[in-house]
């Protein structure tokens, strides 16, 4: 079997064209342009690339955006007071603080400082709670992008075995909630899971979000499974690769996302979706 490749760039392009139309309509009807502020602390090269991609995506969709950069040793108080200004700024509908933050920051405290109505990452404790209670206000962008992929591919989740590798707050945990709400039977595996392959081989839907290059091999995948690769790993030669051994697993799976060009572009797309949604809510 050779798997269908789920093309994140193509789906992202289609959705972003729709967002651009909606943004133009909002501007015409209410004079509001969706606005995103992205805060980056430190000089990590990969983070700088992601932040630039987010700002460029905003420009292409006709959104306003602001990039706010701080040195790695910045006094946290300066970041908190900037967040307070952005919370009150009518041009800004979404605020994103790029993670991870330097060690002298309390990340939970920073995320909680963002007004929940502008928390387009969906990381504020209040929004995490709303997601768990089944009435999400902002769905975290990466799991949201995965759900869009599955919907676009016409994959029915009801009663399916979904296995997630990784239990992070930004991917694994919210991914589990969304798949459960879509009536899949969900298993979360992590670094202490015994006999990982036992679990992964049962999966109809396998989501890899553990951050280990090419960790998922063909022998760990049930023939015909749908494999979603959330990993973004940079190899010593500078190339990107996912958590899945793409070449081998695509011979076993029925559908698979590539890296690059899979979940990554969809993460940024759903950030635009949440920012647009925030702006539309305010106009209502
Ligand atoms: N508060 C916060 N929100 C985030 O959403 C967030 C974050 N912090 N910290 C870091 C991770 C990582 N992340 C990515 C987004 C897009 C690509 C992406 O577009 N990747 C391209 C390749 C880009 C490249 O060439 O490096 C692709 O997969 O095709 C990757 C990674 C968002 N994150």
């Amino acid at each position: 079997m050779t798997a269908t490749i789920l093309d994140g760039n193509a789906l992202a392009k289609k959705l972003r064209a729709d967002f651009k139309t909606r943004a133009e309509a909002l501007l015409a009807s209410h004079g509001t342009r969706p606005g995103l502020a992205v805060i980056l602390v430190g000089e990590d090269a990969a983070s700088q690339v992601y932040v630039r991609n987010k700002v460029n995506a905003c420009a292409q969709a006709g959104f306003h955006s602001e990039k706010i950069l701080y040195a790695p040793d910045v006094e946290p108080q300066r970041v908190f007071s900037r967040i307070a200004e952005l919370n009150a700024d009518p041009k800004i509908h979404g605020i994103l603080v790029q993670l991870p933050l330097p060690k002298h920051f309390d990340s939970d405290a920073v995320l909680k400082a963002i007004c929940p109505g502008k928390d387009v990452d969906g990381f504020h404790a209040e929004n995490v709670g709303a997601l768990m209670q089944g009435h999400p206000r902002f769905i975290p962008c990466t799991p949201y992008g995965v759900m869009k992929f599955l919907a676009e591919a016409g994959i029915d989740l009801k009663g399916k075995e979904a296995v997630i590798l990784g239990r992070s707050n930004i991917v694994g945990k919210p991914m589990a909630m969304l798949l459960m709400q879509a009536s899949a039977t969900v298993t979360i595996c992590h670094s202490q899971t015994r006999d990982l392959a036992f679990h992964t081989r049962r999966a109809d839907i396998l989501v890899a979000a553990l951050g280990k290059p090419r960790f998922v091999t063909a022998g760990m995948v049930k023939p015909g499974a749908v494999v979603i690769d959330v990993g973004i790993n940079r190899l010593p030669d500078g190339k990107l690769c996912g958590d899945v051994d793409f070449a081998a697993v695509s011979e076993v799976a029925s559908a698979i996302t590539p890296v690059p060009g899979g979940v990554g572009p969809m993460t940024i797309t759903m950030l635009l979706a949440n920012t647009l949604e925030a702006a539309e809510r305010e106009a209502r």
Side-chain angles (χ1 to χ4, degrees):
M1 184 184 309
T2 302
T4 303
I5 297 173
L6 303 174
D7 184 343
N9 287 321
L11 182 53
K13 191 173 166 192
K14 187 173 102 175
L15 292 173
R16 289 181 199 190
D18 172 52
F19 300 159
K20 186 171 185 201
T21 307
R22 276 166 63 190
E24 282 162 0
L26 187 65
L27 187 61
S29 63
H30 290 78
T32 301
R33 193 183 286 282
L36 175 71
V38 182
I39 297 177
L40 172 60
V41 182
E43 285 144 2
D44 178 64
S47 294
Q48 286 177 343
V49 172
Y50 299 147
V51 168
R52 196 183 324 128
N53 289 350
K54 288 168 185 170
V55 167
N56 289 343
C58 280
Q60 281 164 21
F63 294 14
H64 167 70
S65 73
E66 293 178 27
K67 189 164 73 175
I68 300 155
L69 306 175
Y70 291 101
D73 59 353
V74 65
E75 189 64 42
Q77 197 45 55
R78 285 187 54 205
V79 177
F80 281 105
S81 45
R82 189 62 206 264
I83 290 172
E85 285 170 21
L86 294 166
N87 283 342
D89 184 341
K91 293 189 302 304
I92 296 299
H93 306 92
I95 303 170
L96 176 145
V97 178
Q98 187 74 14
L99 298 177
L101 284 164
K103 287 192 174 42
H104 67 289
F105 275 83
D106 174 351
S107 298
D108 286 339
V110 172
L111 297 176
K112 270 192 179 168
I114 298 169
C115 164
K118 295 191 178 187
D119 168 38
V120 284
D121 261 330
F123 293 167
H124 190 291
E126 198 173 304
N127 290 327
V128 174
L131 176 66
M132 282 209 69
Q133 290 181 323
H135 43 81
R137 285 211 281 166
F138 290 113
I139 299 173
C141 303
T142 299
Y144 196 1
V146 173
M147 295 307 283
K148 282 278 175 198
F149 253 132
L150 296 173
E152 173 76 10
I155 292 156
D156 180 24
L157 295 168
K158 209 178 293 171
K160 296 284 172 65
E161 294 290 337
V163 176
I164 300 162
L165 304 182
R167 55 176 155 180
S168 71
N169 287 334
I170 70 170
V171 182
K173 283 188 220 171
M175 191 76 253
M177 284 303 132
L178 293 170
L179 289 166
M180 189 170 70
Q181 276 157 22
S183 298
T185 301
V186 178
T187 303
I188 305 181
C189 299
H190 48 76
S191 56
Q192 304 306 307
T193 297
R194 277 180 276 162
D195 198 358
L196 203 68
F198 163 80
H199 294 283
T200 60
R201 277 199 292 261
R202 294 173 53 250
D204 300 309
I205 319 289
L206 181 61
V207 180
L210 70 162
K212 288 184 196 278
R214 298 185 185 131
F215 181 88
V216 176
T217 55
M220 295 168 71
V221 176
K222 174 160 107 177
V226 174
V227 179
I228 306 287
D229 191 349
V230 179
I232 303 266
N233 306 289
R234 200 161 294 272
L235 298 173
D237 68 2
K239 286 205 185 104
L240 282 188
C241 86
D243 292 348
V244 176
D245 180 352
F246 181 85
V249 172
S250 58
E251 295 297 319
V252 179
S254 64
I256 186 168
T257 64
V259 176
V263 173
M266 287 303 293
T267 295
I268 296 187
T269 301
M270 301 328 286
L271 175 66
L272 297 180
N274 283 344
T275 303
L276 176 61
E277 173 72 25
E280 288 176 342
R281 274 180 205 162
E282 184 218 58
R284 263 183 222 132

